């Protein structure tokens, strides 16, 4: 056996111990009773109204944050790639995006509470300077749109990171050829740019969806148990806040694995299709 394989042994061991192993453990546990017998009751319990509602609100938050993150992130990436901005703007934006896309959990929740919470800096400034109380107007950080806004902090930078290479792949010759043939800028994007980028855009949206669907630390630190999303319900079920049933928790995790797994598989397939055009 070639010794070059030794270089990937730590990665394979890490993946088996912390990704493949726990995933298989959850999947097997979803089909077992506490005594270890085979059962489908755990999957059947997923159709309880409370659990279905948790999946639905999780899907809605993921769709909203992924859609807004993809849209805003695309325009930011377009500005730094094709907007004619100075080179330092792109390097600074990409560096910040790399950091912000991994900034989540308790620090992110605290940052938003200190900024747009009821006593946050922005909330206080708007009230003192303009007499605008965003909470009296209906805004609530501990709500659906509040959590969606918080997720955008890492969704937008992630979109910038993964769509920028696709924008770089748009060949200058395509724009020049369309201009020679008399096409306007809008016609270029409608007939060439967007159709070529569509697999990448859809793939990025699916990746952002999966990224938001599996997030728990930020949501739990920000809302506690006031917002009944699947990761928080799963955490409470396994920890035993109300009714200790770890196998139902495994079934909840199995449902999340199926949803995020489908999203990631579609993303990989769409990325492979996009790479054929952008080579």
């Amino acid at each position: 056996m070639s010794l070059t394989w030794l270089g990937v042994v730590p990665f394979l061991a890490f993946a088996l111990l912390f990704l493949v192993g726990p995933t298989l453990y959850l999947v097997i546990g979803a089909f077992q009773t506490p005594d270890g017998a085979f059962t489908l009751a755990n999957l059947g319990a997923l159709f309880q109204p409370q659990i279905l509602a948790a999946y639905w609100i999780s899907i809605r938050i993921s769709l909203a944050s992924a859609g807004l993150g993809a849209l805003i992130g695309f325009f930011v990436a377009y500005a730094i790639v094709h907007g004619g901005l100075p080179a330092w703007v792109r390097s600074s934006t990409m560096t910040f995006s790399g950091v912000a896309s991994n900034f989540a959990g308790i620090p992110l929740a605290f940052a938003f509470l200190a900024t747009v919470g009821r006593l946050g800096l922005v909330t206080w400034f708007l009230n003192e300077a303009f007499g605008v109380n965003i909470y009296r107007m209906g805004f609530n950080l501990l709500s659906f749109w509040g959590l969606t806004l918080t997720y955008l902090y890492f969704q937008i930078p992630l979109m910038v990171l993964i769509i920028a290479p696709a924008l770089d792949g748009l060949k200058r010759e395509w724009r020049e050829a369309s201009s020679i043939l008399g096409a306007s800028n809008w016609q270029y994007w409608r007939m060439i740019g967007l159709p070529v980028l569509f697999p990448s855009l859809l793939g990025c949206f699916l990746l952002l969806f999966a990224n938001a669907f599996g997030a728990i630390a930020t949501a739990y630190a920000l809302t506690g148990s006031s917002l009944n999303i699947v990761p928080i319900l799963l955490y409470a079920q396994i920890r035993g806040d109300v009714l200790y049933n770890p196998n139902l928790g495994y079934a909840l995790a199995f449902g999340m694995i199926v949803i995020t797994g489908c999203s990631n598989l579609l993303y990989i397939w769409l990325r492979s299709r996009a790479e054929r055009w952008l080579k």
Side-chain angles (χ1 to χ4, degrees):
M1 184 180 70
S2 175
L3 294 179
T4 55
W5 280 96
L6 293 177
V8 297
V9 168
F11 168 76
L12 294 176
F14 182 86
L16 287 172
L17 288 174
F18 296 99
L19 181 61
V20 178
T23 301
L24 291 176
Y25 180 79
L26 290 173
V27 172
I28 294 173
F31 294 91
Q32 288 182 332
T33 64
D35 298 329
F38 175 80
T39 182
L40 295 176
N42 297 320
L43 296 184
L46 295 181
F47 294 93
Q48 298 176 28
Q50 179 188 10
I51 295 178
L52 288 177
Y55 272 103
W56 177 232
I57 192 171
S58 295
I59 291 172
R60 286 169 53 208
I61 291 175
S62 300
L63 288 173
S65 64
L68 291 172
L71 182 64
I72 299 172
F74 172 77
F75 284 112
V76 173
Y78 175 80
I80 63 175
V81 174
H82 294 292
L85 298 175
W88 65 267
V89 176
R90 172 170 182 168
S91 60
S92 300
T93 304
M94 297 299 287
T95 300
F96 171 78
S97 297
V99 175
S101 62
N102 292 285
F103 184 71
I106 295 176
L108 180 60
F110 173 78
F112 269 81
L113 285 171
T115 304
V116 291
R118 289 190 177 273
L119 300 177
L121 179 62
V122 172
T123 306
W124 172 85
F125 175 77
L126 291 175
N127 189 38
E128 292 294 324
F130 304 102
V132 176
N133 190 317
I134 58 177
Y135 281 84
R136 290 179 183 173
M137 298 173 62
F139 176 78
N140 185 2
L141 186 61
L142 311 182
S143 65
F144 173 89
W145 286 111
L147 186 58
T148 300
L149 175 65
T150 307
Y151 279 4
L152 289 180
Y153 186 88
F154 55 79
Q155 294 282 65
I156 294 173
L158 181 59
M159 178 65 179
V160 172
L161 289 176
I162 56 182
I163 200 61
L167 288 168
D168 279 325
L170 291 177
K171 294 180 173 56
R172 182 180 300 176
E173 293 84 354
W174 297 345
R175 181 181 289 273
E176 293 175 350
S178 65
S179 298
I180 292 173
L181 294 173
S184 63
N185 188 54
W186 164 244
Q187 288 175 320
Y188 164 76
W189 280 104
R190 182 169 61 88
M191 299 180 179
I192 300 175
L194 289 178
V196 171
L197 288 175
F198 180 75
S200 296
L201 291 171
L202 185 56
C204 291
F205 171 81
L206 292 170
L207 186 62
L208 294 181
F209 173 85
N211 187 47
F213 191 79
I216 178 175
T218 301
Y220 189 78
L222 188 67
T223 67
S225 58
S226 62
L227 200 61
N228 189 36
I229 63 174
V230 176
I232 291 179
L233 185 63
L234 168 61
Y235 177 70
Q237 189 68 44
I238 293 179
R239 194 177 66 171
D241 284 352
V242 181
L243 180 63
Y244 182 69
N245 187 350
N247 292 96
L248 178 57
Y250 299 153
L252 285 167
F254 176 72
M256 293 181 64
I257 291 171
V258 171
I259 293 174
T260 55
C262 290
S263 298
N264 286 318
L265 288 174
L266 283 173
Y267 165 72
I268 293 172
W269 178 71
L270 288 167
R271 186 183 64 180
S272 65
R273 287 181 58 86
E275 287 176 349
R276 292 186 301 177
W277 283 96
L278 299 175
K279 287 182 179 179

